[in-house]
Amino acid sequence: MEALLLGTGLLLGAYVLIYYNLVKAPQCGGIGSLRGRTAVVTGANSGIGKMTALELARRGARVVLACRSRERGEAAAFDLRQDSGNNEVIFMALDLASLASVRAFAAAFLSSEPRLDILIHNAGISSCGRTREAFNLLLRVNHVGPFLLTHLLLPRLKTCTPSRVVVVSSAAHRRGRLDFTRLDRPVVGWQQELRAYADSKLANVLFIRELATRLEGTGVTCYAAHPGPVNSELFLRHVPGWLRPLLCPLAWLVLRTPKGGAQTPLYCALQESIEPFSGRYFANCHVEEVPPAARDDRVAHRLWEASMKLAGLGAEEEDEPDEEPHLEDLRTLSALSTPNPKELTVSEPSSPGPQRSPDFSKVTRRIQVKAEPEPQVS
Ligand SMILES: NC(=O)c1ccc[n+]([C@@H]2O[C@H](COP(=O)([O-])OP(=O)(O)OC[C@H]3O[C@@H](n4cnc5c(N)ncnc54)[C@H](OP(=O)(O)O)[C@@H]3O)[C@@H](O)[C@H]2O)c1
């Protein structure tokens, strides 16, 4: 009997420790009203992305849910309009596995949305599932697609400063190791997938680091956020059916809710006065130190160059064009680059009217070792 009581006490104690250290998430504060501002959240039809979009909508932002499935994206937009009481939640099609789809999304967005204040790269995959591509699908969806999207939307972010870019990374970046000789090789088998996932999350951290350097002084700041261990479909959807009844209750006990997971990305998007920490990695609503591999400016620069190639961006697209592209060009581009032009449309178009086409103003390049402020932000 005594042994039973002792065992129960130890189990409870262990759970309390796990709960307070892993499961319980600090609440994000930050700017209360987002009225008049526009946010894009990728992969917002489920999990952390949906909860992130809900909070932004509750605070009054116009929220664009950038999702790959029209059905799931429109269903989520409907739910979020109901739950937030904010009608300015719309769906736009974006498949990060397809560079053409990323370009089409950007063209459609730039031609219909006058503002972009917050860009949250939340969408991600942990496995290729049954898909067999001739490239590294995990890197494409988790890093290259977001890299290209940021590049294409940057002109709009720059006209809406102060604006922010947040990439939902992961603590898994600590296990990442970028091998530039095989960066885009197809990934086969679960071991390669685990490695590729960690590598892609390391790429997120290095991308944000380099982006911050290039954006210094523009009024656009950027952050990498770790949501914590979250009870979502990210890993569970790849678990065999027979194992689910065992794993689901355990996941419910020891993992955060998606709402808890949304707190750090929201913190990075909304917290006042964190601009000096642009380029840094946040977890539990705190800035956190990353391992040497994730703060190597030379590797970050090399990754940027490699990503330019993988995203199909030429050097000329980094330079200031002689002329600004016209709205008609953007429409043509979107029609040409979308496999199914119908997928471009928004679920509930409001009518902000055609906007000035974006200025592809040159991003200043300064490669330097950054002096990092001490991680003291609360
Ligand atoms: N869960 C965790 O413990 C954890 C921990 C650390 C970091 N994260 C990161 O948090 C982010 C959100 O994950 P989650 O846990 O909320 O998982 P989730 O529920 O599976 O959400 C992932 C979202 O990404 C979307 N997506 C997948 N492939 C896409 C593509 N090709 N184009 C556009 N969207 C795509 C999914 O859309 P569909 O519904 O159409 O598949 C879904 O909406 C991910 O970046 C993940 O790496 C999660």
Side-chain angles (χ1 to χ4, degrees):
M1 185 63 184
E2 271 176 17
L4 188 69
L5 279 176
L6 186 68
T8 314
L10 280 176
L11 268 180
L12 270 175
Y15 183 66
V16 168
L17 273 180
I18 290 173
Y19 181 83
Y20 281 101
N21 286 299
L22 280 180
V23 184
K24 193 171 184 285
Q27 292 300 299
C28 147
I31 305 161
S33 170
L34 298 174
R35 228 158 270 288
R37 302 195 198 191
T38 299
V40 169
V41 184
T42 67
N45 58 281
S46 67
I48 298 163
K50 191 172 181 189
M51 291 301 105
T52 305
L54 176 61
E55 188 56 33
L56 295 170
R58 279 198 176 130
R59 295 186 192 210
R62 177 171 172 79
V63 187
V64 176
L65 313 184
C67 310
R68 63 175 161 173
S69 150
R70 167 173 295 281
E71 200 187 343
R72 290 191 290 275
E74 286 191 338
F78 178 82
D79 289 350
L80 295 183
R81 285 195 291 267
Q82 298 267 306
D83 295 349
S84 65
N86 178 348
N87 277 330
E88 299 275 305
V89 181
I90 63 165
F91 155 79
M92 289 178 79
L94 168 71
D95 182 354
L96 289 161
S98 153
L99 299 180
S101 171
V102 175
R103 284 189 175 272
F105 173 88
F109 180 89
L110 292 171
S111 63
S112 64
E113 295 292 327
R115 294 196 64 85
L116 179 56
D117 302 273
I118 300 168
L119 171 58
I120 302 188
H121 294 293
N122 160 81
I125 52 171
S126 63
S127 157
C128 303
R130 287 171 193 210
T131 320
R132 292 283 166 263
E133 300 287 1
F135 50 83
N136 180 342
L137 184 64
L138 278 114
L139 191 78
R140 171 71 68 85
V141 173
N142 295 355
H143 167 66
V144 180
F147 177 89
L148 176 60
L149 187 59
T150 309
H151 196 91
L152 298 172
L153 297 184
L154 211 46
R156 189 54 47 84
L157 285 157
K158 284 187 182 171
T159 59
C160 298
T161 55
S163 51
R164 293 189 184 181
V165 179
V166 179
V167 177
V168 181
S169 179
S170 164
H173 81 269
R174 295 178 189 281
R175 295 194 312 273
R177 204 161 23 93
L178 293 185
D179 178 351
F180 285 97
T181 60
R182 41 186 310 131
L183 212 51
D184 202 32
R185 292 252 177 98
V187 177
V188 184
W190 66 270
Q191 281 166 316
Q192 281 190 20
E193 283 181 347
L194 274 183
R195 162 95 196 269
Y197 179 75
D199 292 350
S200 71
K201 293 295 157 178
L202 173 60
N204 291 159
V205 178
L206 289 165
F207 163 51
I208 281 299
R209 187 171 179 89
E210 176 77 7
L211 184 66
T213 303
R214 291 172 183 250
L215 290 176
E216 247 175 52
T218 61
V220 187
T221 54
C222 54
Y223 312 88
H226 169 50
V230 175
N231 188 5
S232 70
E233 283 295 306
L234 186 71
F235 293 101
L236 279 180
R237 69 161 60 87
H238 305 292
V239 166
W242 61 267
L243 204 56
R244 276 185 158 249
L246 279 176
L247 280 186
C248 287
L250 195 66
W252 183 81
L253 270 179
V254 299
L255 300 178
R256 273 179 193 170
T257 60
K259 185 180 173 201
Q263 298 308 307
T264 301
L266 283 165
Y267 180 90
C268 292
L270 303 176
Q271 185 63 37
E272 295 101 340
S273 314
I274 60 167
E275 288 80 4
F277 297 92
S278 181
R280 303 289 298 275
Y281 169 86
F282 286 72
N284 287 318
C285 300
H286 275 86
V287 68
E288 235 182 44
E289 197 53 275
V290 290
R295 55 186 146 93
D296 185 327
D297 286 326
R298 281 193 179 78
V299 178
H301 176 63
R302 192 171 172 198
L303 175 66
W304 185 281
E305 297 295 323
S307 306
M308 289 286 292
K309 288 194 186 115
L310 292 176
L313 287 164
E316 68 280 3
E317 286 188 76
E318 254 198 319
D319 293 340
E320 202 161 352
D322 296 336
E323 271 178 40
E324 290 187 345
H326 296 289
L327 182 62
E328 211 44 54
D329 296 338
L330 293 170
R331 289 217 175 98
T332 314
L333 169 65
S334 74
L336 282 175
S337 59
T338 316
N340 175 7
K342 268 189 186 167
E343 287 291 303
L344 265 180
T345 51
V346 296
S347 67
E348 198 215 14
S350 62
S351 47
Q355 291 303 306
R356 202 173 68 80
S357 48
D359 74 318
F360 288 85
S361 49
K362 197 173 185 174
V363 176
T364 326
R365 172 172 303 174
R366 269 185 296 123
I367 306 303
Q368 58 182 27
V369 178
K370 281 193 282 279
E372 300 194 330
E374 281 305 303
Q376 284 165 346
V377 174
S378 60

